[in-house]
Amino acid sequence: GTEYMFMNVREKPFDDLRVRQAVCWSLDREAFNRMYSGVGTSAGEFLPPLLPGARPLGRYLKRDVPRAKALLAEAGYPNGFRTRLYGWTTEPGPRLLEVAQQQLADAGIKVDLDIGEAAGYTSMAEDTSNHIAFGLFGWFADYVDASNFIGVLFDGRRITPTQNLNLSLFDDRQVNAWIDEAARSP
């Protein structure tokens, strides 16, 4: 399984790659792992590290607040911005969100937390009409295969109005083609 923060690429300011990168550089993943008593692993990619086909890419593994601030300035947010971060009440979710709130503030991203009961939050986040821009989510595969992560969570052709699992609303023709190619590969 994997837990992650999604950023909806169709909602401002997360429609700008530099803003999404700034968020990533603002966060200390090792601090999050400590909330799971050290049993978590920072993947640096979307696939869990022990999943067949996963390769450690080493992305955003070390926090770099000056780099995050520079990216925000390039994106037109030299003083940062305010946003809402959604998540669930099940521990360590609230603690994780509070740490993220503090870390993002260091880069100038002011975060209001909106925390709800897990089942209600999930239904709300999966409904695209709610325009959730930024939130915490988790995915635990039905079977151990990369397709149960990549296809389910990133194939833009699977975006649906409700019960949508591609919460970032990411839809890229080339990525969709790569997903098809991978599905045909042994």
Side-chain angles (χ1 to χ4, degrees), residues 64-81:
D64 190 340
V65 174
R67 188 172 186 177
K69 287 181 176 183
L71 285 162
L72 288 173
E74 286 176 26
Y77 299 96
N79 299 313
F81 62 90

Side-chain angles (χ1 to χ4, degrees), residues 143 145-148 150-152 155 157-158 175-186:
Y143 51 91
D145 189 85
S147 67
N148 198 246
I150 301 299
V152 171
D155 189 332
R157 298 164 296 188
R158 295 178 83 164
V175 171
N176 295 342
W178 287 334
I179 290 169
D180 291 343
E181 182 182 337
R184 292 187 298 270
S185 302

Side-chain angles (χ1 to χ4, degrees), residues 9-77:
V9 301
R10 298 181 187 179
E11 297 288 330
K12 289 201 174 295
F14 302 106
D15 60 336
D16 190 313
L17 174 63
R18 296 166 297 189
V19 170
R20 296 191 305 270
Q21 290 171 333
V23 168
C24 291
W25 285 115
S26 299
L27 300 173
D28 177 357
R29 283 144 184 81
E30 290 308 313
F32 298 143
N33 285 341
R34 287 191 291 276
M35 289 180 214
Y36 290 92
S37 302
V39 297
T41 300
S42 294
E45 63 158 325
F46 209 81
L47 295 176
L50 298 178
L51 193 73
R55 287 183 306 141
L57 302 176
R59 293 193 174 120
Y60 307 110
L61 294 180
K62 296 291 180 195
R63 187 172 190 229
D64 190 340
V65 174
R67 188 172 186 177
K69 287 181 176 183
L71 285 162
L72 288 173
E74 286 176 26
Y77 299 96

Side-chain angles (χ1 to χ4, degrees), residues 1-10 45-48 51 122 125-126 136-143 145-160 163-172 175-176 179:
T2 186
E3 289 191 5
Y4 57 95
M5 289 183 194
F6 67 89
M7 293 172 267
N8 183 334
V9 301
R10 298 181 187 179
E45 63 158 325
F46 209 81
L47 295 176
L51 193 73
T122 300
E126 292 176 353
L136 178 65
F137 213 71
W139 178 250
F140 295 85
D142 299 320
Y143 51 91
D145 189 85
S147 67
N148 198 246
F149 286 84
I150 301 299
V152 171
L153 303 173
F154 290 107
D155 189 332
R157 298 164 296 188
R158 295 178 83 164
I159 295 171
T160 57
Q163 298 178 333
N164 176 57
L165 295 173
N166 180 342
L167 299 179
S168 63
L169 297 183
F170 179 79
D171 185 9
D172 182 274
V175 171
N176 295 342
I179 290 169

Side-chain angles (χ1 to χ4, degrees), residues 115-146:
I115 303 172
E117 184 272 324
Y121 165 70
T122 300
S123 295
M124 188 248 335
E126 292 176 353
D127 183 336
T128 59
S129 70
N130 289 322
H131 302 279
I132 305 301
F134 190 28
L136 178 65
F137 213 71
W139 178 250
F140 295 85
D142 299 320
Y143 51 91
V144 182
D145 189 85

